[in-house]
Every structure is written in structure tokens, then in C-alpha cells.
Amino acid sequence: MAVRDIVTVGHPVLRERAREVTPEELATAEVQQLIDDLIDTMHAANGAGIAANQIGVPLRITTIEVNQNPRYPYKPPIPLTVVVNPVIEFLDDELVEINEGCLSVPNLRGNVMRHVNIRVRYLDRDGVAHDAVKRGLTAGTFQHECDHLDGKLFLDRVTDPTTFTTWEQFERFHRDAFVERITEFVRRVGS
Ligand code: NI
């Protein structure tokens, strides 16, 4: 059990492409400990996901979990998922505008376009291969976390800078309209 410090925007490790993990590395006590630390850190920060480079380790590992998340109460649940060496494929051209935040970008949110339907292939912490289709906000969460592993932040994908808000101003002025729109979207496409 260890909650690690989260690296914030401006640190070069967030801008590097993280490297693949070999099956041998994945089985080591060090990498298994890293995965436990990612989960603990994600939970402590109420994140929907966290990537290894967000705690300063440039390996292609991210953990994702949504369960009544106070930062994102409108997100459908995602069981705890350990994602190693993910590869995302877009299944079509459908996009949705999602308001995002990030543990590495304190107190800022903004609107980004994400693919609605994706296929993601990855290994779990035991090295077992998974091949899954994700949709809607869940697909958005996977894209956000996988972006981290390529050195990308949601900031890079905000095409309209006037959508940037602090969390306080999001709550005051933008949350209701966004939640109404995205709840309707979730009802339509599921997750
Ligand atoms: Ni993030």
C-alpha cells in the first residue's frame, strides 16, 4: 500500500512516450508493486484512472475504475481494470464532446472530442490478453488514459479554449447543462 505523489503538467515525464512492459517485467515484484501503488494513488485522489507516468514511471501501464466517483458522478461504473500495453482502434468516426479533467492538471477542466466506439487490446496484471469494445464515456476514459502513455494530455485536445474552467466555475455555470447532455448520451449509447 502506497499512495505516490502525482506529477503535474510541466513535468517532462508526462510528455514522453512511455515504453512497453515485457511479460518478464510485468511478473516482477517491482512492477506488481507499481500497479498496487497506481491503484492506491488513483483511489486516494478519487481519479477515474491514472497512468504510470503520472507517478513518474514511464511504462505503458494504467489503472481505471469508476464507482460512484465524486469527481465524475455522471460516469457509468467501470470495474477496476489494470491495462498494460494498450492498443486502441477506433471502430468508426462517431465523436462526442466530453468535459474532462485530469489529476495531473489541477483545478482545470475543458471540452475534448473523443471517439464513441473503440476496441482496446491490452494485458492485465497477470499477463492475460484482453480484447474489448468500449463505448461512450467509458471509451473516453480509456482514450484519456492511453493518451497519457503517448505523452498527451487532454489540454492538447481542447479545440475551444473558452471551454476551460476551474472546477468551481464548472460546478457553478456549466455542470448542469453538461450532465444533462451527457446523461442523455449515456442513455442512448450505454458504456
Ligand atoms: Ni489524466
Side-chain angles (χ1 to χ4, degrees), residues 54 102 144 148:
Q54 290 184 272
C102 179
H144 177 114
H148 275 299

Side-chain angles (χ1 to χ4, degrees), residues 78-99:
I78 305 174
L80 177 62
T81 309
V82 176
V83 177
V84 179
N85 298 342
V87 177
I88 284 182
E89 180 188 335
F90 304 135
L91 293 177
D92 54 41
D93 295 330
E94 188 180 356
L95 299 172
V96 60
E97 187 172 38
I98 300 177
N99 182 277

